[in-house]
Amino acid sequence: MLLRKFLRRYPAFLYSPFRRYWFASLASIAGANLLILGQGWLVFELTGSPFQLGVLGAAAAVPGIVVNLIGGVIADRFDKRKIILFSCLCNTVFLSILTVLDASNVVKVWHVYTIAAMTSLVTGIDWPVRASIYPLLVKRPAYLSAVALNSFIWQSSRATIPAIGGALLFFGGTASVFAVGALGFFTMFLVVLTIPLKESQESKTSPIQELVEGLTFIYNHGLFKWLLGLTFLAMFFVQSYVQLLPYIVELLDQNEAVYGLLLAAGGIGAIVGTLVVGAMKSSSVSGKTLLVCALISAIGTFLMSLAVSWNLLIWTFAFAFTSAILASIFQISGVTIMQLAVPHRLRGRVMGFHTVCYNLIPLGGLFLGFLAEVLGIVAAIGIGCLIFGAAVLGVGLGSSTIRNIGQRPIREIQLPSPS
């Protein structure tokens, strides 16, 4: 009975290729979260500087942002399965190198920055593929559940992996975190070998033409322009506070375990938001709800910074949890709307451009890290939340396209046939 009800709400799980891909993704995304957790703690151990945490964020973001655009073109032109296999193998090697350097006590800050940049380059190609792979795994009626289930992996990993990672840090140090992360990527490599995926058709146009076509489409369609813009601003100015968590833990006079639990609090909140969206029908996604959730999530994040400054640990957890619920509803609703509306032949480029937002979290850490070192944590997070809140109000008041989402079914935008 429960299984039947679950499959009705999440029909993507009826497809065997999606199930295998989903479980494989659990392993690799756990590896990615362990890498983020371990790198942040190691850099703060080596430097003690919130600004250096921001520099780490830039190293982990800029290469991926540069590659993300062409990554979308690659996703539309080449065999997605081979790209995922390549990226998983590369990340396995990178984390293994960092494990050896750390375990040998010869690791330097520049080693961590270099590995962060190399993994960012690889994921800049990998993420657009993952964002556009659903049509190869499920049919259109299952897109919403596929997006929600994929997001559930990220959010559940954010909830469970940091807690596990905190224990690994406490008992085995950062080297053990990197070693388990490498195992996660290698596990996905082995599983994807067993999943047959239809290769992309060879394109007759140049990569530059395809890139321009994707960007032009986004610019000409307010639905994508404003949703992507708000998502980018949310990641850069609000969600990037996670890059400063080692510093926040120090302000709270806590240890590695609390670092992991704070990351987990945000992850658990995001799981709740993911489950709420996943249980909704696409026709019930409302633009006004999306905007309200975005605005309140920023307010909650600012209140969390106040709790940190007043050394209120329980309230810090509570606001991190609550704001994550609302941020998750905003983000997943937005990406689901775009998945339903994007033309299939532009899916890799458009959704690949969306994956830039994940690199904006660590890059925003550079901005917040600088402000935190100069002005303090409350001012840093407050300025970021104020900028994002103003953008949400501006879009809400100025774009009827976003406000009116949900008033009619979301349909795929039709393009003229390519000449």
Side-chain angles (χ1 to χ4, degrees), residues 105-117:
N105 292 318
V106 297
V107 68
K108 306 294 183 184
V109 173
W110 72 266
H111 293 146
V112 185
Y113 292 162
T114 302
I115 295 295

Side-chain angles (χ1 to χ4, degrees), residues 66-88:
V66 172
V67 175
N68 262 137
L69 294 178
I70 192 66
V73 175
I74 291 171
D76 281 337
R77 291 172 68 95
F78 299 107
D79 186 336
K80 292 177 172 58
R81 179 172 173 269
K82 290 179 180 178
I83 295 171
I84 292 174
L85 289 171
F86 170 78
S87 67
C88 286

Side-chain angles (χ1 to χ4, degrees), residues 161-340:
I161 297 305
I164 296 170
L168 285 172
L169 279 173
F170 187 78
F171 291 106
T174 48
S176 65
V177 173
F178 299 136
V180 176
L183 182 61
F185 281 108
F186 190 61
T187 299
M188 183 165 189
F189 172 81
L190 294 177
V191 175
V192 172
L193 282 173
T194 71
I195 303 176
L197 294 176
K198 182 181 178 182
E199 294 189 14
S200 301
Q201 295 181 347
E202 184 177 349
S203 175
K204 296 181 181 179
T205 57
S206 74
I208 298 299
Q209 286 177 306
E210 293 186 355
L211 175 58
V212 170
E213 183 185 18
L215 292 175
T216 301
F217 172 84
I218 292 170
Y219 180 79
N220 289 336
H221 290 82
L223 179 71
F224 290 87
K225 179 167 59 179
W226 297 121
L227 283 179
L228 283 169
L230 285 179
T231 302
F232 289 174
L233 291 174
M235 297 299 187
F236 187 89
F237 288 111
V238 182
Q239 299 305 312
S240 55
Y241 83 86
V242 300
Q243 194 71 24
L244 302 185
L245 277 180
Y247 176 54
I248 288 173
V249 168
E250 182 182 75
L251 292 176
L252 291 167
D253 274 335
Q254 300 296 327
N255 57 18
E256 300 96 326
V258 172
Y259 173 46
L261 290 174
L262 264 177
L263 281 168
I268 294 170
I271 288 175
V272 175
T274 300
L275 292 175
V276 169
V277 176
M280 294 166 60
K281 296 180 179 179
S282 58
S283 59
S284 63
V285 176
S286 162
K288 293 176 182 177
T289 300
L290 182 148
L291 292 169
V292 169
C293 287
L295 185 61
I296 299 178
S297 72
I299 295 172
T301 302
F302 175 66
L303 291 175
M304 183 206 69
S305 72
L306 289 177
V308 171
S309 70
W310 295 332
N311 203 21
L312 301 173
L313 182 60
I314 299 301
W315 283 104
T316 301
F317 276 105
F319 286 124
F321 171 75
T322 305
S323 61
I325 293 176
L326 298 163
S328 180
I329 293 173
F330 160 68
Q331 291 160 17
I332 300 169
S333 296
V335 75
T336 300
I337 290 164
M338 289 187 285
Q339 285 279 5
L340 291 168

